[in-house]
Amino acid sequence: MSSAVHTIVLAGRSADVWPVAALLERELPPRIKLHVIEDGGIYGPRGATVPLGSGYHTRTGIDCATLLEHCDAALSLGSVLENWRGEGSRFVTAPSGTLPAVGGVALHQLLLKMAAGNADFGQSFAPFRFAARAAEAGKMALPADAPDSPLAMLGPQVSFDRGRYAAMLRARCEGACTISKGRVAAAQINGCGDIGSVTLDSGAKIPGDFFVDCSGDLSDVAGCPEDLRPLQIVPFGQVATIALVADRKPVMPIYRAQEDGLLAITPTASGQLLTFACSTETTEETILQFTSESAVIATVGNGCTDTPWLHNLVRLGTASVQIGSMLSADIVLLQAQSLLLADCLPVRSQMQAEADAFNRKHAETVRGITDFAFAPLYLGAHAGLVWEEVRASPPPHSLQIRIDQFRSRARVPSFERDYADEQTWTELLFGMGLQPSGYDRRADTIPPAHIERVLNTIRQQLDGALARMETRTNFLRRFA
Amino acid sequence: MTAAGLSRSLGGLGLSITLVESDAIGTVGVGEATLPHIRDFNRIVGIDERDMMSRTAATIKLGIEFRDWGRPGDRYMHPFGTYGETIGPAPFHHYWLKERANGGQTAALGDYSLPIVAGWNGRFEPPSAQEGMLAYNYAFQFDAGLYAAYLADVAQAAGVKRQEGRIVETRRSDAGDIVSVVLDSGQVIEGDLFVDCSGFRALLIEQELQTGFEDWSHWLPCNRAWAVPCAIGAESTPFTRATARDAGWQWRIPLQHRIGNGHVYCERYSTDQGALDVLMGNLEGTPIAEPRQLVFKTGKRRQMWNRNVVAIGLSGGFLEPLESTSIDLIQTGILKLIDLFPTDRCELADVSEYNRLMDLEYGRIRDFLLLHYVANQREGLPFWDDMRHMELPASLAAKMDAFRSRGLTPDYSDGLFLLQSWLSVFIGQNIIPETLDPRVDTMSAGERQAHLERIHSTLLESAEGMEEHLSFIHQYGASFKQSGA
Ligand SMILES: Cc1cc2nc3c(=O)[nH]c(=O)nc-3n(C[C@H](O)[C@H](O)[C@H](O)COP(=O)(O)OP(=O)(O)OC[C@H]3O[C@@H](n4cnc5c(N)ncnc54)[C@H](O)[C@@H]3O)c2cc1C
């Protein structure tokens, strides 16, 4: 006999658990009760940058004004990759929709054709990197401001302290769900392998029908298999994180490759957050040199499970995938996991089909995010043992296909549940120095004069749209 | 089709394209029902739809009607469009299922799909909406021979050289690539890239390169067909019909001037004569040609692209005609080839990518076709009993479990048959989810009923406002011109 799911218990540190709880609270009917077990604040990176108008924010009902008002958030249109192509190099990766094709041929293919033989292809491509240009120019707009214009291609992102973000989400859920503070100390497993209840370190016993572990403690006490398959692409075993009030904070998130590791600088409205990820062999002295005396140092794992949902327990966040914070892959993934979970939620104790569907979609989602976030690690040229080790290991199969296809003909293959658009991928791969040896042969069927005309028209449209865009400062006045 | 696609897309490159065809061998000569993607192909090669329709006797196709597939007496349509619209956090079909489970007076699922409502009413007009409940697409039911002739004109006008003759020999380089083919006249035709469109013979890809065939007949066992055209007896519906028979199924494809009919069956469960009798006994009009028998095996080539040979069409594989997928697979093969067209030589990365994409496409289509057979309740008939109890490919078993258990539909975005197609067969063949998305309960019964009622009446009104199907064709200027004059 299968019994109905009435209570969902979510456990984890607040930064991990509230993004999941907030979405479920928003979408589930009142007859399904949520019980959130909150254990401390944040472990690991504090700064995060996620898409502003993502499915996650839309479905959770969180708009720009809310984020600005409650999360000390900063808005941007891109992120800076520093030093990835060698010391002093700088590249802006900006989420972007794809430019219209001309005669069925992608615009960058036409540019490649026109630039054939010209070593500095980057220069001819630059004017068409609309979102990146807008990001560099300190402009800001929302795609909804002018859906029939180049603004529609923009992918605004929001940066925040995960602690503030969690507090905002928590406030939305208060009153609608039960909250217990404490650490999960034990789990009571029934004969079928399902969790019936969990006991907190305080001794409180919390029963539930379905359990969501967002940080890993619940999985440990429930005896989940240690099945995180190592991801060679995450070479870092520890992170140091600190929030600083800064007069001169960056206008965009920065991901700086350093000899010893990766420094992520996340702007907020009032300051910046530093996160330095490095190998376990890096000394504390080196770590503090890049952060600050009062930085909190944490050891982190590396890996990914193929079966995050087993029996009536689903593992999310670091409980399922430990991929670090390059391009905020960790929090982007947590939001994506929340959406998948909401779409696959079980109704009764017999939930194998839901688990299978979730696990399959989850693997695709992880692939999309990790491929994008880690492409710079493979394609970068930064010196340092840690980077050389990454480059020496084989990339995931799907990333290898993307690299091969791009190298062969500047083609960007798509996979199910991809994270980034064709344009964003194209810019990143070019930006990381991948030189295609050919291009789409259809480009040669379009007369150069026609291509030139079309490119000029598009360039002018983009220039005009950019000139008309508000500065970020003016944009923020809307919300004052 | 391949010659037209390549010449119109890549003709400007100065490619020399030669098409070798043998009148003595001829073509397989069937294939009348298409899928909506063919409209994209027509656009790419610059075909005027009206003109094409008038020269191929084409009618409009809004979907495929399936009769007797779940239980005898059942009837549903797989539409080229969507069901309902987004009305809450859960997918639309969950609200419909909830209403139905609560004993509400809900209409059939098909009544929430515009192409189905229009199709049942024999109506059509070109879609005006891109998304939402009024969005849909359409395909054609045409004389494939005439379509091929039409494309031959397009290809030759774009510079393709057509060479009549039979290929009797293939020559290869030391490296193993094909360098030329020799015709029965002795003429040698050299090339850098060879596209094998030689049908089931698979002249280059198999006879020469011995690429290997993945036999899927244990999953899709139908391996024979009888085909015969007949006079129009009933109406020229804007949809194809597939009626389940004891050892297979029968197609009905109405063109402007005749009906195409065929009986696809498995020889293990029916004699050839028995199958022919079933077909001839179920024609709605007088036969207008002798019935022809076709023999095939379902499956696909292990690699669609091997060395410098790309197999397109039946030489690459065949998955039986139930969902009119063959012409579409030809189109997919052409478009992917154009996408990955080599510059100097066939790069391994491009060949692997082509094969990866085609494998994905074939696998998904196979699962979708197989679903029709295994989700049957036609008990007591050996063919259908065996289909119901077969061991499924894991990929299909997972899709069926997900739907049966919680109404979760496949949601991949890249492929021929997407969510709505799967939904139509699941529900149409009586797979009703045991549980529903809990998010449906955020809506009250009253709100739900109001939404369903609104959608139903909007679609009915839209369909009633459409033209009668044949008069649309007439007014569109697409009436059949016999000689193509
Ligand atoms: C029963 C049945 C029903 C079908 N119904 C549909 C349908 O409704 N919708 C759909 O989309 N598809 C359908 N199909 C599939 C459709 O018929 C084919 O996909 C389509 O006809 C294309 O076939 P082809 O060109 O690959 O092969 P063929 O039509 O067999 O053509 C092969 C060509 O190669 C040439 N050739 C072969 N050997 C040589 C040689 N040695 N030298 C020179 N030339 C040679 C032949 O002359 C011919 O021109 C059906 C198939 C079957 C069997």
Side-chain angles (χ1 to χ4, degrees), chain A residues 27 31 59 343 345 347-348 354 361 405 408-409 411 416-417 441-442 444, chain B residues 13 339-342 349-350 353 406 411-414 434 436 438-439 441:
Chain A
E27 294 200 342
R31 73 174 162 78
R59 280 174 56 178
D343 291 341
L345 270 176
V347 184
R348 54 181 184 178
E354 289 89 327
K361 293 174 196 214
Q405 276 295 296
S408 162
R409 53 182 58 242
R411 181 172 171 274
E416 284 305 323
R417 267 171 257 280
R441 297 210 58 195
R442 279 169 293 187
D444 283 335
Chain B
L13 299 179
D339 208 16
L340 292 161
F341 201 81
D350 297 335
E353 177 66 353
R406 234 299 307 272
D411 63 348
Y412 52 81
S413 57
D414 195 18
E434 291 157 9
L436 295 178
R439 295 173 298 180
D441 291 336

mmCIF file of all heavy atoms in Angstrom, chain A residues 27 31 59 343 345 347-348 354 361 405 408-409 411 416-417 441-442 444, chain B residues 13 339-342 349-350 353 406 411-414 434 436 438-439 441:
data_model
loop_
_atom_site.group_PDB
_atom_site.id
_atom_site.type_symbol
_atom_site.label_atom_id
_atom_site.label_comp_id
_atom_site.label_asym_id
_atom_site.label_seq_id
_atom_site.Cartn_x
_atom_site.Cartn_y
_atom_site.Cartn_z
ATOM 1 N N GLU A 27 4.666 27.000 -4.806
ATOM 2 C CA GLU A 27 3.928 26.204 -5.803
ATOM 3 C C GLU A 27 3.036 25.114 -5.232
ATOM 4 O O GLU A 27 2.137 24.638 -5.922
ATOM 5 C CB GLU A 27 4.913 25.591 -6.811
ATOM 6 C CG GLU A 27 5.598 26.660 -7.662
ATOM 7 C CD GLU A 27 6.182 26.135 -8.950
ATOM 8 O OE1 GLU A 27 6.381 24.915 -9.068
ATOM 9 O OE2 GLU A 27 6.443 26.961 -9.851
ATOM 10 N N ARG A 31 -2.359 21.827 1.493
ATOM 11 C CA ARG A 31 -2.509 20.526 2.165
ATOM 12 C C ARG A 31 -1.159 19.815 2.315
ATOM 13 O O ARG A 31 -1.019 18.897 3.117
ATOM 14 C CB ARG A 31 -3.520 19.646 1.431
ATOM 15 C CG ARG A 31 -3.041 19.088 0.138
ATOM 16 C CD ARG A 31 -4.009 18.099 -0.491
ATOM 17 N NE ARG A 31 -3.700 17.925 -1.895
ATOM 18 C CZ ARG A 31 -2.710 17.172 -2.345
ATOM 19 N NH1 ARG A 31 -1.950 16.520 -1.510
ATOM 20 N NH2 ARG A 31 -2.480 17.079 -3.644
ATOM 21 N N ARG A 59 9.238 31.892 -11.166
ATOM 22 C CA ARG A 59 8.322 30.960 -10.507
ATOM 23 C C ARG A 59 8.233 31.189 -9.010
ATOM 24 O O ARG A 59 7.211 30.875 -8.384
ATOM 25 C CB ARG A 59 8.720 29.509 -10.835
ATOM 26 C CG ARG A 59 8.210 29.119 -12.214
ATOM 27 C CD ARG A 59 8.673 27.778 -12.683
ATOM 28 N NE ARG A 59 8.365 26.675 -11.789
ATOM 29 C CZ ARG A 59 8.669 25.410 -12.050
ATOM 30 N NH1 ARG A 59 9.269 25.115 -13.202
ATOM 31 N NH2 ARG A 59 8.387 24.455 -11.200
ATOM 32 N N ASP A 343 8.892 20.165 -10.327
ATOM 33 C CA ASP A 343 8.191 19.538 -11.460
ATOM 34 C C ASP A 343 8.000 18.034 -11.280
ATOM 35 O O ASP A 343 7.158 17.436 -11.942
ATOM 36 C CB ASP A 343 8.964 19.793 -12.759
ATOM 37 C CG ASP A 343 8.916 21.259 -13.163
ATOM 38 O OD1 ASP A 343 8.018 21.974 -12.677
ATOM 39 O OD2 ASP A 343 9.776 21.696 -13.951
ATOM 40 N N LEU A 345 7.728 16.450 -8.125
ATOM 41 C CA LEU A 345 7.383 16.103 -6.741
ATOM 42 C C LEU A 345 6.490 14.876 -6.633
ATOM 43 O O LEU A 345 5.542 14.725 -7.407
ATOM 44 C CB LEU A 345 6.681 17.279 -6.068
ATOM 45 C CG LEU A 345 7.612 18.256 -5.365
ATOM 46 C CD1 LEU A 345 6.801 19.413 -4.818
ATOM 47 C CD2 LEU A 345 8.392 17.591 -4.234
ATOM 48 N N VAL A 347 3.761 12.190 -4.954
ATOM 49 C CA VAL A 347 2.458 12.339 -4.318
ATOM 50 C C VAL A 347 2.250 11.222 -3.296
ATOM 51 O O VAL A 347 1.441 11.333 -2.394
ATOM 52 C CB VAL A 347 1.361 12.263 -5.396
ATOM 53 C CG1 VAL A 347 -0.006 12.517 -4.809
ATOM 54 C CG2 VAL A 347 1.644 13.258 -6.501
ATOM 55 N N ARG A 348 3.010 10.149 -3.464
ATOM 56 C CA ARG A 348 2.825 8.987 -2.565
ATOM 57 C C ARG A 348 4.179 8.334 -2.314
ATOM 58 O O ARG A 348 5.157 8.637 -3.016
ATOM 59 C CB ARG A 348 1.859 7.995 -3.218
ATOM 60 C CG ARG A 348 2.328 7.635 -4.590
ATOM 61 C CD ARG A 348 1.436 6.690 -5.335
ATOM 62 N NE ARG A 348 2.104 6.377 -6.604
ATOM 63 C CZ ARG A 348 1.645 5.551 -7.490
ATOM 64 N NH1 ARG A 348 0.500 4.940 -7.296
ATOM 65 N NH2 ARG A 348 2.313 5.322 -8.609
ATOM 66 N N GLU A 354 9.212 8.978 -10.337
ATOM 67 C CA GLU A 354 9.565 10.390 -10.167
ATOM 68 C C GLU A 354 11.073 10.521 -9.950
ATOM 69 O O GLU A 354 11.723 11.413 -10.500
ATOM 70 C CB GLU A 354 8.836 11.005 -8.971
ATOM 71 C CG GLU A 354 7.352 11.201 -9.178
ATOM 72 C CD GLU A 354 6.532 9.981 -8.770
ATOM 73 O OE1 GLU A 354 7.021 8.844 -8.918
ATOM 74 O OE2 GLU A 354 5.392 10.160 -8.316
ATOM 75 N N LYS A 361 16.932 14.036 -15.588
ATOM 76 C CA LYS A 361 16.944 15.470 -15.913
ATOM 77 C C LYS A 361 18.071 16.170 -15.158
ATOM 78 O O LYS A 361 18.681 17.117 -15.646
ATOM 79 C CB LYS A 361 15.610 16.121 -15.528
ATOM 80 C CG LYS A 361 14.446 15.621 -16.365
ATOM 81 C CD LYS A 361 13.150 16.192 -15.836
ATOM 82 C CE LYS A 361 11.967 15.410 -16.383
ATOM 83 N NZ LYS A 361 10.801 16.184 -16.613
ATOM 84 N N GLN A 405 33.676 20.607 -32.068
ATOM 85 C CA GLN A 405 32.816 21.198 -33.091
ATOM 86 C C GLN A 405 33.152 22.665 -33.318
ATOM 87 O O GLN A 405 33.118 23.152 -34.439
ATOM 88 C CB GLN A 405 31.350 21.063 -32.679
ATOM 89 C CG GLN A 405 30.758 19.727 -33.033
ATOM 90 C CD GLN A 405 30.708 19.536 -34.541
ATOM 91 O OE1 GLN A 405 30.027 20.247 -35.247
ATOM 92 N NE2 GLN A 405 31.477 18.581 -35.041
ATOM 93 N N SER A 408 36.389 22.838 -35.203
ATOM 94 C CA SER A 408 36.269 22.400 -36.590
ATOM 95 C C SER A 408 35.587 23.452 -37.463
ATOM 96 O O SER A 408 36.032 23.729 -38.565
ATOM 97 C CB SER A 408 35.502 21.078 -36.627
ATOM 98 O OG SER A 408 35.022 20.822 -37.908
ATOM 99 N N ARG A 409 34.472 24.035 -36.976
ATOM 100 C CA ARG A 409 33.675 24.896 -37.863
ATOM 101 C C ARG A 409 32.887 25.957 -37.105
ATOM 102 O O ARG A 409 31.853 26.400 -37.567
ATOM 103 C CB ARG A 409 32.719 24.045 -38.677
ATOM 104 C CG ARG A 409 31.867 23.133 -37.801
ATOM 105 C CD ARG A 409 30.945 22.242 -38.592
ATOM 106 N NE ARG A 409 31.667 21.414 -39.523
ATOM 107 C CZ ARG A 409 31.487 21.478 -40.844
ATOM 108 N NH1 ARG A 409 30.608 22.312 -41.348
ATOM 109 N NH2 ARG A 409 32.163 20.692 -41.636
ATOM 110 N N ARG A 411 30.937 25.665 -34.816
ATOM 111 C CA ARG A 411 29.559 25.233 -34.564
ATOM 112 C C ARG A 411 29.379 25.026 -33.061
ATOM 113 O O ARG A 411 30.280 24.506 -32.404
ATOM 114 C CB ARG A 411 29.284 23.937 -35.323
ATOM 115 C CG ARG A 411 27.900 23.399 -35.159
ATOM 116 C CD ARG A 411 27.663 22.227 -36.103
ATOM 117 N NE ARG A 411 26.405 21.577 -35.786
ATOM 118 C CZ ARG A 411 26.281 20.628 -34.878
ATOM 119 N NH1 ARG A 411 27.331 20.186 -34.231
ATOM 120 N NH2 ARG A 411 25.098 20.092 -34.633
ATOM 121 N N GLU A 416 20.380 18.804 -24.382
ATOM 122 C CA GLU A 416 19.166 19.026 -23.591
ATOM 123 C C GLU A 416 19.494 19.799 -22.315
ATOM 124 O O GLU A 416 20.504 19.529 -21.676
ATOM 125 C CB GLU A 416 18.528 17.692 -23.203
ATOM 126 C CG GLU A 416 17.783 17.009 -24.321
ATOM 127 C CD GLU A 416 16.712 17.859 -24.986
ATOM 128 O OE1 GLU A 416 16.033 18.631 -24.288
ATOM 129 O OE2 GLU A 416 16.574 17.760 -26.219
ATOM 130 N N ARG A 417 18.617 20.723 -21.947
ATOM 131 C CA ARG A 417 18.728 21.491 -20.711
ATOM 132 C C ARG A 417 20.035 22.264 -20.623
ATOM 133 O O ARG A 417 20.645 22.371 -19.563
ATOM 134 C CB ARG A 417 18.596 20.565 -19.485
ATOM 135 C CG ARG A 417 17.195 20.458 -18.985
ATOM 136 C CD ARG A 417 17.065 19.378 -17.935
ATOM 137 N NE ARG A 417 16.458 18.218 -18.538
ATOM 138 C CZ ARG A 417 15.169 18.096 -18.747
ATOM 139 N NH1 ARG A 417 14.364 19.031 -18.352
ATOM 140 N NH2 ARG A 417 14.678 17.033 -19.334
ATOM 141 N N ARG A 441 29.770 26.250 -44.201
ATOM 142 C CA ARG A 441 30.009 26.472 -45.634
ATOM 143 C C ARG A 441 28.896 27.267 -46.292
ATOM 144 O O ARG A 441 29.081 27.840 -47.363
ATOM 145 C CB ARG A 441 30.227 25.123 -46.330
ATOM 146 C CG ARG A 441 31.473 24.461 -45.762
ATOM 147 C CD ARG A 441 32.168 23.604 -46.747
ATOM 148 N NE ARG A 441 32.574 24.317 -47.946
ATOM 149 C CZ ARG A 441 32.949 23.712 -49.061
ATOM 150 N NH1 ARG A 441 32.949 22.396 -49.119
ATOM 151 N NH2 ARG A 441 33.314 24.403 -50.119
ATOM 152 N N ARG A 442 27.750 27.313 -45.655
ATOM 153 C CA ARG A 442 26.662 28.119 -46.231
ATOM 154 C C ARG A 442 27.021 29.599 -46.266
ATOM 155 O O ARG A 442 26.468 30.358 -47.052
ATOM 156 C CB ARG A 442 25.375 27.930 -45.423
ATOM 157 C CG ARG A 442 24.638 26.663 -45.780
ATOM 158 C CD ARG A 442 23.544 26.381 -44.804
ATOM 159 N NE ARG A 442 24.087 26.048 -43.478
ATOM 160 C CZ ARG A 442 23.371 25.631 -42.455
ATOM 161 N NH1 ARG A 442 22.086 25.502 -42.591
ATOM 162 N NH2 ARG A 442 23.926 25.331 -41.297
ATOM 163 N N ASP A 444 29.533 30.858 -47.438
ATOM 164 C CA ASP A 444 30.129 31.186 -48.746
ATOM 165 C C ASP A 444 29.085 31.334 -49.846
ATOM 166 O O ASP A 444 29.414 31.710 -50.962
ATOM 167 C CB ASP A 444 31.133 30.094 -49.145
ATOM 168 C CG ASP A 444 32.444 30.250 -48.383
ATOM 169 O OD1 ASP A 444 32.749 31.382 -47.963
ATOM 170 O OD2 ASP A 444 33.137 29.233 -48.199
ATOM 171 N N LEU B 13 28.469 27.386 -53.614
ATOM 172 C CA LEU B 13 29.871 27.075 -53.330
ATOM 173 C C LEU B 13 30.615 26.588 -54.558
ATOM 174 O O LEU B 13 31.802 26.309 -54.500
ATOM 175 C CB LEU B 13 29.963 25.971 -52.267
ATOM 176 C CG LEU B 13 29.352 26.266 -50.914
ATOM 177 C CD1 LEU B 13 29.512 25.064 -49.999
ATOM 178 C CD2 LEU B 13 30.039 27.470 -50.298
ATOM 179 N N ASP B 339 24.605 21.259 -42.333
ATOM 180 C CA ASP B 339 25.182 21.885 -41.141
ATOM 181 C C ASP B 339 26.648 21.478 -40.954
ATOM 182 O O ASP B 339 27.470 22.260 -40.494
ATOM 183 C CB ASP B 339 24.354 21.399 -39.938
ATOM 184 C CG ASP B 339 24.348 22.396 -38.806
ATOM 185 O OD1 ASP B 339 24.718 23.544 -39.062
ATOM 186 O OD2 ASP B 339 23.981 22.012 -37.687
ATOM 187 N N LEU B 340 26.943 20.238 -41.291
ATOM 188 C CA LEU B 340 28.285 19.697 -41.025
ATOM 189 C C LEU B 340 29.046 19.448 -42.321
ATOM 190 O O LEU B 340 29.975 18.637 -42.356
ATOM 191 C CB LEU B 340 28.150 18.391 -40.235
ATOM 192 C CG LEU B 340 27.615 18.568 -38.810
ATOM 193 C CD1 LEU B 340 27.081 17.258 -38.245
ATOM 194 C CD2 LEU B 340 28.714 19.117 -37.903
ATOM 195 N N PHE B 341 28.650 20.144 -43.366
ATOM 196 C CA PHE B 341 29.216 19.838 -44.685
ATOM 197 C C PHE B 341 30.736 20.039 -44.676
ATOM 198 O O PHE B 341 31.237 21.081 -44.268
ATOM 199 C CB PHE B 341 28.577 20.720 -45.750
ATOM 200 C CG PHE B 341 28.715 20.129 -47.123
ATOM 201 C CD1 PHE B 341 27.858 19.142 -47.548
ATOM 202 C CD2 PHE B 341 29.734 20.548 -47.970
ATOM 203 C CE1 PHE B 341 27.996 18.566 -48.803
ATOM 204 C CE2 PHE B 341 29.877 19.977 -49.226
ATOM 205 C CZ PHE B 341 29.004 18.991 -49.643
ATOM 206 N N PRO B 342 31.473 19.020 -45.150
ATOM 207 C CA PRO B 342 32.936 19.101 -45.059
ATOM 208 C C PRO B 342 33.541 20.155 -45.989
ATOM 209 O O PRO B 342 32.955 20.481 -47.021
ATOM 210 C CB PRO B 342 33.396 17.708 -45.463
ATOM 211 C CG PRO B 342 32.256 17.081 -46.156
ATOM 212 C CD PRO B 342 31.009 17.766 -45.732
ATOM 213 N N ALA B 349 35.534 14.636 -36.211
ATOM 214 C CA ALA B 349 34.648 15.330 -35.258
ATOM 215 C C ALA B 349 33.271 15.546 -35.883
ATOM 216 O O ALA B 349 32.249 15.407 -35.211
ATOM 217 C CB ALA B 349 35.249 16.669 -34.860
ATOM 218 N N ASP B 350 33.235 15.873 -37.157
ATOM 219 C CA ASP B 350 31.952 16.139 -37.815
ATOM 220 C C ASP B 350 31.193 14.843 -38.090
ATOM 221 O O ASP B 350 29.975 14.778 -37.929
ATOM 222 C CB ASP B 350 32.191 16.901 -39.123
ATOM 223 C CG ASP B 350 32.826 18.261 -38.857
ATOM 224 O OD1 ASP B 350 32.645 18.785 -37.740
ATOM 225 O OD2 ASP B 350 33.510 18.787 -39.749
ATOM 226 N N GLU B 353 29.753 13.672 -34.855
ATOM 227 C CA GLU B 353 28.637 14.524 -34.431
ATOM 228 C C GLU B 353 27.387 14.177 -35.248
ATOM 229 O O GLU B 353 26.285 14.084 -34.699
ATOM 230 C CB GLU B 353 29.024 16.001 -34.613
ATOM 231 C CG GLU B 353 27.937 17.011 -34.283
ATOM 232 C CD GLU B 353 27.528 17.051 -32.816
ATOM 233 O OE1 GLU B 353 27.973 16.212 -32.021
ATOM 234 O OE2 GLU B 353 26.716 17.935 -32.473
ATOM 235 N N ARG B 406 3.063 9.275 -12.558
ATOM 236 C CA ARG B 406 2.837 10.635 -12.101
ATOM 237 C C ARG B 406 2.485 11.601 -13.242
ATOM 238 O O ARG B 406 2.515 12.811 -13.080
ATOM 239 C CB ARG B 406 4.114 11.131 -11.406
ATOM 240 C CG ARG B 406 3.980 11.678 -10.002
ATOM 241 C CD ARG B 406 3.088 12.879 -9.876
ATOM 242 N NE ARG B 406 3.391 13.979 -10.769
ATOM 243 C CZ ARG B 406 4.238 14.954 -10.533
ATOM 244 N NH1 ARG B 406 4.894 15.007 -9.412
ATOM 245 N NH2 ARG B 406 4.435 15.901 -11.411
ATOM 246 N N ASP B 411 10.271 15.465 -21.923
ATOM 247 C CA ASP B 411 10.288 16.903 -22.171
ATOM 248 C C ASP B 411 11.555 17.352 -22.880
ATOM 249 O O ASP B 411 11.999 18.467 -22.692
ATOM 250 C CB ASP B 411 10.101 17.675 -20.869
ATOM 251 C CG ASP B 411 11.234 17.430 -19.893
ATOM 252 O OD1 ASP B 411 12.025 16.513 -20.138
ATOM 253 O OD2 ASP B 411 11.337 18.169 -18.896
ATOM 254 N N TYR B 412 12.131 16.455 -23.694
ATOM 255 C CA TYR B 412 13.295 16.901 -24.460
ATOM 256 C C TYR B 412 12.826 17.930 -25.496
ATOM 257 O O TYR B 412 11.669 17.913 -25.929
ATOM 258 C CB TYR B 412 14.023 15.725 -25.123
ATOM 259 C CG TYR B 412 13.168 14.793 -25.941
ATOM 260 C CD1 TYR B 412 12.803 15.106 -27.235
ATOM 261 C CD2 TYR B 412 12.724 13.579 -25.414
ATOM 262 C CE1 TYR B 412 12.029 14.241 -28.000
ATOM 263 C CE2 TYR B 412 11.950 12.710 -26.164
ATOM 264 C CZ TYR B 412 11.612 13.053 -27.457
ATOM 265 O OH TYR B 412 10.834 12.193 -28.200
ATOM 266 N N SER B 413 13.734 18.827 -25.838
ATOM 267 C CA SER B 413 13.308 19.930 -26.702
ATOM 268 C C SER B 413 13.766 19.741 -28.133
ATOM 269 O O SER B 413 13.333 20.445 -29.036
ATOM 270 C CB SER B 413 13.863 21.244 -26.164
ATOM 271 O OG SER B 413 15.266 21.144 -26.073
ATOM 272 N N ASP B 414 14.650 18.779 -28.344
ATOM 273 C CA ASP B 414 15.213 18.618 -29.669
ATOM 274 C C ASP B 414 14.817 17.242 -30.190
ATOM 275 O O ASP B 414 15.325 16.241 -29.728
ATOM 276 C CB ASP B 414 16.747 18.722 -29.540
ATOM 277 C CG ASP B 414 17.399 18.936 -30.872
ATOM 278 O OD1 ASP B 414 16.695 19.332 -31.807
ATOM 279 O OD2 ASP B 414 18.612 18.697 -30.979
ATOM 280 N N GLU B 434 -1.469 7.295 -12.452
ATOM 281 C CA GLU B 434 -2.029 6.889 -11.156
ATOM 282 C C GLU B 434 -2.113 8.078 -10.199
ATOM 283 O O GLU B 434 -2.977 8.129 -9.339
ATOM 284 C CB GLU B 434 -1.134 5.795 -10.543
ATOM 285 C CG GLU B 434 -1.223 4.483 -11.312
ATOM 286 C CD GLU B 434 0.004 3.597 -11.113
ATOM 287 O OE1 GLU B 434 0.847 3.912 -10.247
ATOM 288 O OE2 GLU B 434 0.110 2.598 -11.843
ATOM 289 N N LEU B 436 -1.324 12.556 -9.830
ATOM 290 C CA LEU B 436 -1.174 13.792 -10.595
ATOM 291 C C LEU B 436 -0.222 14.747 -9.902
ATOM 292 O O LEU B 436 0.058 14.607 -8.713
ATOM 293 C CB LEU B 436 -2.535 14.466 -10.762
ATOM 294 C CG LEU B 436 -3.554 13.687 -11.587
ATOM 295 C CD1 LEU B 436 -4.868 14.456 -11.632
ATOM 296 C CD2 LEU B 436 -3.030 13.423 -12.984
ATOM 297 N N PRO B 438 0.918 17.422 -7.732
ATOM 298 C CA PRO B 438 0.175 17.972 -6.580
ATOM 299 C C PRO B 438 -0.154 19.455 -6.761
ATOM 300 O O PRO B 438 -1.048 19.974 -6.091
ATOM 301 C CB PRO B 438 1.136 17.760 -5.406
ATOM 302 C CG PRO B 438 2.480 17.523 -6.003
ATOM 303 C CD PRO B 438 2.253 16.950 -7.373
ATOM 304 N N ARG B 439 0.555 20.121 -7.654
ATOM 305 C CA ARG B 439 0.330 21.561 -7.810
ATOM 306 C C ARG B 439 -1.033 21.880 -8.417
ATOM 307 O O ARG B 439 -1.476 23.027 -8.368
ATOM 308 C CB ARG B 439 1.460 22.167 -8.642
ATOM 309 C CG ARG B 439 2.806 22.074 -7.924
ATOM 310 C CD ARG B 439 3.954 22.509 -8.797
ATOM 311 N NE ARG B 439 4.098 21.672 -9.975
ATOM 312 C CZ ARG B 439 5.036 21.840 -10.905
ATOM 313 N NH1 ARG B 439 5.898 22.831 -10.790
ATOM 314 N NH2 ARG B 439 5.114 21.033 -11.940
ATOM 315 N N ASP B 441 -3.689 21.201 -7.185
ATOM 316 C CA ASP B 441 -4.607 21.516 -6.089
ATOM 317 C C ASP B 441 -4.496 22.954 -5.604
ATOM 318 O O ASP B 441 -5.212 23.345 -4.690
ATOM 319 C CB ASP B 441 -4.379 20.542 -4.924
ATOM 320 C CG ASP B 441 -4.826 19.148 -5.304
ATOM 321 O OD1 ASP B 441 -5.681 19.038 -6.203
ATOM 322 O OD2 ASP B 441 -4.304 18.176 -4.728
#
